Amino acid sequence: MRRFFLECAGFSWSAPARSLRRDGALTVARRARKRCRASLAAALQKKYSSSMSEGVPYWPHAPMHCFDERGIYMVTAATYQKQWLFNSPEKLSMLRDMLFKYADQFEWRLQAWAVLNNHYHFVAVSPADASTLKSMLSRLHEYSAKKLNRMEGVSGRKVWHNYWETRVTHQTSYFARLRYVHQNPVHHGVVENASNYEWCSQAWLERNADRSFVNTLGRFKTDRISVRDDF
């Protein structure tokens, strides 16, 4: 992975690159990673800037404005070795639409989501039996991996690594996590305005929630919540 980012920064994988000190190489890699993200974001936005007004599929339910005691979970999943596998609008849309499909099928009510090139997050209200989460994600990961591999003409490639879930137990934590997920593309430097990124829920929130709720949510701080997001 470090080799990839060094090459993005303009270094060839030769003696000069190998001779970089460890700390210097890591700094270069981080800067290159940021530039690569920005380039990908620009390409995505340029190609699909008008798609939000062209009937993009969206979660058909309304946002929930209060805490629900039945069970609210935040889920994060990552690709194998954090590879940027969902690296085109078509692939991102495929994963997002499958998330919608299986969440609906297993009766998980999505309240926020963000799909990026090597991970995703969502916040959802569970059905009566929250143990169905494992089955839902197994189905999502199995079929999205098969579809992605068919799209790229490869066979048997491992796509997903793992997932992590947290049960949200109080309202402040719930609202903070909602904001974190709605704004995740901004956190990763993909876009400046999350509502312009069609693979997250910010635009859906703004279309379907009261303006007062959107404004209230925007005031919640997210720096104290513990979220696995080193992608």
Side-chain angles (χ1 to χ4, degrees):
M1 183 63 71
R2 188 185 304 165
R3 173 177 177 174
F4 168 76
F5 289 126
L6 286 169
E7 289 173 348
C8 283
F11 290 97
S12 61
W13 192 249
S14 57
R18 289 195 183 99
S19 68
L20 288 171
R21 294 181 59 187
R22 178 180 174 81
D23 291 346
L26 287 174
T27 299
V28 170
R30 291 190 187 103
R31 290 174 179 171
R33 181 175 183 174
K34 186 174 182 180
R35 286 197 294 271
C36 289
R37 283 192 186 279
S39 297
L40 176 60
L44 292 176
Q45 290 302 114
K46 181 178 180 181
K47 187 172 183 180
Y48 280 78
S49 59
S50 63
S51 62
M52 292 297 290
S53 62
E54 295 177 355
V56 172
Y58 70 96
W59 186 243
H61 308 290
M64 187 177 67
H65 292 190
C66 60
F67 188 73
D68 192 311
E69 296 291 346
R70 287 176 296 176
I72 296 176
Y73 290 78
M74 179 172 177
V75 176
T76 297
T79 59
Y80 181 61
Q81 296 182 338
K82 303 179 184 179
Q83 297 175 81
W84 292 11
L85 298 179
F86 296 90
N87 52 13
S88 73
E90 183 182 11
K91 295 169 188 174
L92 288 167
S93 295
M94 178 270 288
L95 179 56
R96 177 203 58 200
D97 295 349
M98 281 196 177
L99 172 61
F100 289 175
K101 174 183 176 180
Y102 292 116
D104 191 51
Q105 187 176 110
F106 284 85
E107 300 182 341
W108 281 77
R109 292 177 52 201
L110 294 173
Q111 299 301 311
W113 61 87
V115 176
L116 289 97
N117 50 32
N118 64 354
H119 71 287
Y120 66 78
H121 305 281
F122 70 78
V123 176
V125 182
S126 74
D129 182 6
S131 68
T132 60
L133 178 64
K134 182 177 180 179
S135 297
M136 183 187 84
L137 295 180
S138 294
R139 191 79 57 87
L140 172 63
H141 290 176
E142 176 185 355
Y143 286 101
S144 62
K146 289 179 178 178
K147 180 66 178 292
L148 180 66
N149 286 344
R150 285 198 302 270
M151 291 169 73
E152 297 191 349
V154 298
S155 177
R157 176 182 57 180
K158 184 174 181 178
V159 171
W160 295 105
H161 169 57
N162 206 347
Y163 72 89
W164 302 267
E165 83 278 5
T166 301
R167 183 171 183 182
V168 184
T169 57
H170 57 90
Q171 183 162 292
T172 301
S173 177
Y174 171 59
F175 287 153
R177 281 169 168 77
L178 284 182
R179 181 167 187 256
Y180 187 89
V181 176
H182 289 315
Q183 293 292 317
N184 200 242
V186 176
H187 171 75
H188 286 287
V190 178
V191 291
E192 294 183 358
N193 184 344
S195 62
N196 293 332
Y197 185 79
E198 70 174 77
W199 303 279
C200 80
S201 50
Q202 181 65 30
W204 166 82
L205 174 73
E206 294 176 4
R207 284 195 303 267
N208 292 280
D210 296 337
R211 174 51 55 183
S212 60
F213 178 68
V214 175
N215 291 340
T216 297
L217 207 59
R219 291 193 289 270
F220 274 82
K221 295 183 178 180
T222 62
D223 55 340
R224 293 187 178 182
I225 64 175
S226 177
V227 178
R228 187 181 291 267
D229 204 10
D230 54 339
F231 304 109

